[in-house]
Amino acid sequence: MIRSVLLLRSTGKWYYGRSGLRLSFNTVTACTTRTMHSNPLRQSQAYVNGSWIGARSGATFDVQNPANGAVLGAVPDMARDDVQLAIDAAYDAFYEPRWHNSTAKERAALLKNWHALMEKNRQEIASIMTAESGKPLVESLGEVAYGNSFVEWFAEEARRIYGEIVPSPVANRQIMMTRNPVGVAGLITPWNFPHAMITRKAAAAIAAGCTVVIKPAEDTPLTALALARLAEEAGFPKGVINVITSSRTHAAEIGQLLCGSDKVAAISFTGSTEVGKLLYRQCADGVKRIGLELGGNAPFIVFKSADMEKALTGAMNSKFRNCGQTCISANRFLIQDEVHDEFVAKLIERIRKLAIGDGSRDGVQIGPLINQAQLKKVDQFVQDAKDKGAKVHTGGKTLPELGPLYYEPTVVTDLRDNMLLYNEEVFGPVVSVVRFKTEAEALAIANGTRRGLAGYFFSNDLNQVFRVARQLETGMIGINEGLISATEAAFGGIKESGIGREGSRHGIDEYVYIKYLCYGNLQ
């Protein structure tokens, strides 16, 4: 039986190391947090044109703690007219001489200021994040470190947005190409990484010279507003960074406005494939620049030559961050026949040691799911598999004694292609195991989906490593590694998992266009 947070210590913790957020066993950590009411970064209004404002209607919506259902506070429930104010502010700020003519060095300095303030306020940001998202505090601290790194990275990249001088085919001409900011960028961000998904987009856009309108997820707006408070303190000109909040009631009309407005030049969205397709269609009329980071269905393949301990550690790291609610989380575990039983048995042993509970408590490794809809989806997927003949080895049920949104980490085997767990992304703490015999069979299963975000495989056969890496149809691959996110690497997928790349030097490309200058009739 999985241990709850009634224990004061667990046998493991998540930590943020050089290669990302990892789960380390036999280590104890003590994490403390301030209450939300005493947190100086907690805001209750939206941030538009350098001012803190409410919705014109006066409407608000509550933000709840998924760990216990407690109301953390209320924020403005903004509608179309409110968002238009933010778009106008960002548009005016972009063309205001102070920003339009700003140098890369000046923008880099502002981003460095923002980064320094985020570093200074790590604990406060993490406390807010844990309260509204439910992830363990040590994970939130890891995300703050990760999210901050994007601001630091793009502060440096701002001064490396180079153009080109091209040899002309004609003697009296000079050919030059420059990279220029596209304008206002609308950034629509998800609840599962409420800090890093904002900084990964906003820092790149600002470095390029764009202004931004940020629409955070309705479940986690407080982290976004905390970042806006620090941006204000960092000295950004008014209108450069705007954060608007809304409930689900207005989400569709806000997305439609951002996609349809002539004043918005680019859209960047992280979220479900279904919503991404809708935004893509809405951007078509204006032939608007769009970047999409959408859903995944990541295969996690363990070949018979794999190092078992590394594969198990990789599985834990990939699957259970944020209670399995990550877009690159391993979704389908494909285990070769010769090592299937050993892998499943040892994985179950590790899973049963995980401590579940309120993420603000010491030692907790698994928090709640984000909301009731997500809990219902996870439970439905598991029940569907059971009804169709799959075997649940551990878990498979809710944990109401801990709270309304807890689901026990689960291992399901004997999956077949008529089950939801086989075909769709579960986005929860469920390990779905498929047995395979040959490499060709594993690749056929792994690639047999319209999603292509991330994939993982473990093998000590060098020839196999190169073969599978070449044939696996995903935008990112972890080879003998379960954690692949890094500021320096290009993040993004293929197929229906998205368009464009975030992070790395390529992250700037989403927010610039190339201008060709032909100087003719030179003497």
Side-chain angles (χ1 to χ4, degrees):
M1 180 66 183
I2 296 173
R3 295 175 297 167
S4 77
V5 295
L6 296 177
L7 299 176
L8 294 179
R9 291 289 187 270
S10 75
T11 59
K13 69 168 186 176
W14 293 97
Y15 70 95
Y16 189 87
R18 288 180 60 85
S19 58
L21 193 62
R22 294 182 174 275
L23 184 60
S24 170
F25 289 94
N26 301 317
T27 309
V28 174
T29 184
C31 296
T32 59
T33 183
R34 300 183 184 185
T35 67
M36 282 290 292
H37 295 291
S38 65
N39 195 316
L41 295 184
R42 179 183 171 183
Q43 305 295 320
S44 59
Q45 292 185 302
Y47 185 65
V48 175
N49 203 26
S51 299
W52 295 94
I53 65 172
R56 284 179 170 180
S57 66
T60 62
F61 67 97
D62 290 338
V63 182
Q64 293 185 308
N65 185 334
N68 52 31
V71 174
L72 302 171
V75 296
D77 191 1
M78 305 181 98
R80 189 182 181 92
D81 290 346
D82 300 299
V83 179
Q84 187 62 57
L85 289 176
I87 293 173
D88 292 342
Y91 186 81
D92 292 343
F94 178 73
Y95 286 105
E96 207 276 332
R98 184 183 173 192
W99 189 254
H100 198 65
N101 297 324
S102 64
T103 66
K105 183 176 181 179
E106 290 168 337
R107 296 193 299 274
L110 288 168
L111 287 168
K112 288 175 182 177
N113 290 347
W114 198 20
H115 174 259
L117 289 167
M118 290 181 185
E119 287 289 294
K120 180 181 177 181
N121 291 274
R122 282 186 181 212
Q123 189 71 43
E124 287 78 10
I125 299 170
S127 298
I128 292 172
M129 197 188 313
T130 287
E132 67 177 350
S133 74
K135 64 178 61 180
L137 181 58
V138 70
E139 274 197 55
S140 294
L141 287 166
E143 183 182 338
V144 171
Y146 178 55
N148 290 0
S149 70
F150 287 108
V151 182
E152 180 183 39
W153 172 264
F154 285 114
E156 297 166 345
E157 286 296 295
R159 301 184 69 179
R160 292 191 283 270
I161 304 176
Y162 301 136
E164 299 176 56
I165 302 293
V166 179
S168 172
V170 180
N172 67 345
R173 291 181 186 174
Q174 176 73 65
I175 295 175
M176 180 185 298
M177 290 182 285
T178 61
R179 298 168 78 197
N180 301 266
V182 296
V184 177
L187 313 179
I188 306 174
T189 60
W191 47 262
N192 58 340
F193 289 94
H195 177 288
M197 296 303 96
I198 288 176
T199 56
R200 191 160 74 183
K201 298 176 189 292
I206 292 165
C210 296
T211 58
V212 299
V213 176
I214 302 168
K215 163 62 175 73
E218 55 277 353
D219 291 300
T220 55
L222 299 178
T223 302
L225 295 175
L227 297 182
R229 173 69 186 86
L230 295 177
E232 180 184 41
E233 189 176 339
F236 284 95
K238 68 177 184 178
V240 171
I241 296 178
N242 306 274
V243 178
I244 51 98
T245 58
S246 81
S247 68
R248 287 177 176 81
T249 303
H250 299 295
E253 68 183 54
I254 290 173
Q256 189 173 32
L257 175 60
L258 288 170
C259 291
S261 173
D262 290 339
K263 291 184 175 181
V264 177
I267 294 292
S268 180
F269 169 75
T270 297
S272 72
T273 297
E274 291 70 29
V275 174
K277 288 180 178 180
L278 176 62
L279 297 177
Y280 201 2
R281 295 188 193 101
Q282 292 174 350
C283 284
D285 285 343
V287 196
K288 198 181 303 293
R289 178 75 64 89
I290 189 166
L292 300 172
E293 196 274 280
L294 307 177
N297 192 0
F300 187 100
I301 309 171
V302 180
F303 292 103
K304 62 184 178 182
S305 68
D307 181 305
M308 182 63 67
E309 290 304 305
K310 291 178 180 177
L312 290 165
T313 299
M316 296 296 291
N317 286 336
S318 177
K319 181 74 240 186
F320 291 106
R321 275 190 308 150
N322 200 21
C323 198
Q325 299 170 117
T326 76
C327 55
I328 60 171
S329 176
N331 197 59
R332 297 167 295 153
F333 285 74
L334 313 181
I335 315 300
Q336 195 154 20
D337 192 55
E338 290 87 342
V339 295
H340 176 279
D341 293 350
E342 179 187 3
F343 180 86
V344 170
K346 289 184 175 181
L347 187 64
I348 290 171
E349 183 180 344
R350 293 196 183 200
I351 288 172
R352 285 175 173 166
K353 293 178 181 178
L354 292 173
I356 309 174
D358 187 327
S360 66
R361 299 186 184 181
D362 180 33
V364 168
Q365 297 157 289
I366 300 289
L369 293 165
I370 187 64
N371 53 39
Q372 192 63 43
Q374 192 60 31
L375 181 78
K376 182 179 179 181
K377 175 186 174 183
V378 171
D379 191 52
Q380 176 192 355
F381 276 35
V382 174
Q383 291 304 315
D384 171 78
K386 287 174 63 176
D387 293 344
K388 293 174 180 176
K391 182 177 180 180
V392 176
H393 291 261
T394 188
K397 62 180 183 295
T398 59
L399 297 170
E401 66 274 17
L402 294 180
L405 298 178
Y406 290 92
Y407 196 87
E408 191 170 10
T410 300
V411 175
V412 183
T413 63
D414 302 329
L415 260 67
R416 291 190 294 275
D417 60 8
N418 64 335
M419 301 175 182
L420 292 171
L421 282 177
Y422 187 100
N423 294 293
E424 299 183 30
E425 183 180 30
V426 65
F427 227 62
V430 179
V431 174
S432 309
V433 182
V434 178
R435 187 191 297 259
F436 72 89
K437 292 185 181 298
T438 68
E439 178 185 306
E441 181 187 0
L443 283 166
I445 296 170
N447 293 335
T449 172
R450 288 303 308 154
R451 307 294 170 86
L453 187 57
Y456 309 85
F457 70 90
F458 285 73
S459 171
N460 280 337
D461 180 336
L462 186 60
N463 288 322
Q464 184 174 61
V465 164
F466 278 90
R467 280 197 311 271
V468 174
R470 185 174 61 252
Q471 296 179 63
L472 198 57
E473 296 173 356
T474 61
M476 300 174 285
I477 302 176
I479 302 167
N480 294 324
E481 177 57 68
L483 286 170
I484 59 175
S485 296
T487 310
E488 298 81 359
F491 191 104
I494 61 173
K495 298 182 179 179
E496 293 183 5
S497 285
I499 298 171
R501 293 296 182 266
E502 294 185 328
S504 80
R505 66 183 180 87
H506 299 289
I508 293 286
D509 296 341
E510 305 301 310
Y511 303 100
V512 296
Y513 68 91
I514 295 175
K515 180 181 287 187
Y516 160 42
L517 307 171
C518 179
Y519 297 90
N521 293 302
L522 300 174
Q523 300 300 319

